[in-house]
Amino acid sequence: MARVLVFAPAPILTITVEAHRGEPEVHLHVGGQGVWQARMLVALGADVVLVCSVAGEAGTVARHLLADEGFRVVAIEREGVSPAYIHDRRGGERQPIVEAQGEPLSRHELDALYSATLRESADADLVILSGPEGDDMLEADVYRRLASDMRELGRTVLVDLAGDRLEAALEGGVDVLKVSHEELVADGRVADGDDEAQLLAAAREIAAGGVGLVAVTRAAAGSIVVGQEGTWRVVAPELEPVDTRGAGDSYTAGLASVLAAGGSHADAVRTGAAAGAVNATRRGLGTGDAEAIRAIAARVELQALDDEAAR
């Protein structure tokens, strides 16, 4: 079984109020990019360890909830406040009530988190570096150091980052990158996120820096992939979405599940696209039925760009 390490600096405690038979129903879960990725990886059959930090009362609750997720958790306990939110969905749309980004990690807390990541990477086939909820949770340079050290230890590094964290990770060295078209616009790499030619040029530029596979997701428009095994426009079945949040993280998990097991880029991309599509049909973020994902993956078309033969 392929083993994946997910670096998730500070998971977020999510409290959502929904309507059930005319009464309010309260749901407590743990979320955030790394948790959603780990959840989908477990659904796809990977052996997952999540390295994170938890703080305060919200962190205590989050740690207990993480214990039931099906992956192993290595949590650094720290002082302060963990990220958390309370959303009201009784009207159909999410209405934020409270959103707390949490407090930054101290130097010693970061040292403990970094050491735990190094230790747990010893038998990982692939390492995902995911971002925290709060912008100030930890310095971007941590991602440069981690990417560099993971590759020095012979681990495949997949990042799902943007902004300064992405730039730092690329400097350290990355094998696989998943990024959205909105993030490329925000980072100034493209001017028009709907312009396929611009997105393709940006992906090629990143790949030329030594990244073996670059996947640019475009929501319903499908993704564009540039890699050592091919350059494709990815077309997946258009499933009716219920909640699109977590779809990008599910895509990342699909990529990781195949690549960690030694699979091809084509199979990884098909699985990623299918995992994102299936996640969007559900209310649970980072969730999906493995058999449904495999069935959809078989319907994902890779349209070769640059006049290559379609696969």
Side-chain angles (χ1 to χ4, degrees), residues 165-212:
R165 296 188 184 103
L166 172 57
E167 297 302 325
L170 290 174
E171 183 181 347
V174 169
D175 297 292
V176 183
L177 166 65
K178 197 285 291 182
V179 65
S180 73
H181 67 298
E182 296 101 334
E183 290 167 336
L184 290 179
V185 172
D187 290 351
R189 288 183 177 271
V190 299
D192 183 356
D194 295 323
D195 188 323
E196 184 174 280
Q198 290 187 34
L199 295 173
L200 186 58
R204 284 186 178 133
E205 182 180 3
I206 294 170
V211 182

Side-chain angles (χ1 to χ4, degrees), residues 98-270:
V98 174
E99 294 184 337
Q101 291 193 341
E103 294 181 314
L105 280 80
S106 71
R107 183 183 65 182
H108 296 300
E109 292 163 350
L110 179 57
D111 284 347
L113 184 65
Y114 201 99
S115 293
T117 306
L118 292 176
R119 181 179 69 249
E120 295 300 327
S121 71
D123 56 354
D125 298 297
L126 183 145
V127 175
I128 298 178
L129 301 182
S130 65
E133 289 301 307
D135 291 338
D136 300 324
M137 187 61 65
L138 71 170
E139 295 179 353
D141 191 60
V142 173
Y143 289 93
R144 179 194 61 79
R145 293 169 51 209
L146 274 174
S148 178
D149 287 347
M150 292 298 103
R151 294 188 92 193
E152 179 67 22
L153 294 172
R155 304 295 168 246
T156 298
V157 177
L158 188 162
V159 302
D160 187 350
L161 301 168
D164 292 342
R165 296 188 184 103
L166 172 57
E167 297 302 325
L170 290 174
E171 183 181 347
V174 169
D175 297 292
V176 183
L177 166 65
K178 197 285 291 182
V179 65
S180 73
H181 67 298
E182 296 101 334
E183 290 167 336
L184 290 179
V185 172
D187 290 351
R189 288 183 177 271
V190 299
D192 183 356
D194 295 323
D195 188 323
E196 184 174 280
Q198 290 187 34
L199 295 173
L200 186 58
R204 284 186 178 133
E205 182 180 3
I206 294 170
V211 182
L213 176 63
V214 179
V216 181
T217 56
R218 301 184 293 170
S223 55
I224 293 173
V225 175
V226 175
Q228 296 170 346
E229 298 179 18
T231 300
W232 306 301
R233 179 189 302 113
V234 184
V235 180
E238 295 185 15
L239 306 181
E240 189 71 26
V242 171
D243 190 342
T244 59
R245 298 177 75 226
D249 298 315
S250 295
Y251 189 113
T252 298
L255 289 176
S257 69
V258 174
L259 296 175
S264 69
H265 286 184
D267 286 344
V269 170
R270 289 190 179 99

Side-chain angles (χ1 to χ4, degrees), residues 70-94:
F71 47 76
R72 190 162 67 87
V73 179
V74 176
I76 304 302
E77 295 187 0
R78 60 189 184 91
E79 300 295 326
V81 177
S82 276
Y85 72 62
I86 303 174
H87 286 179
D88 190 337
R89 286 188 54 175
R90 283 175 291 179
E93 300 293 330
R94 288 182 179 271

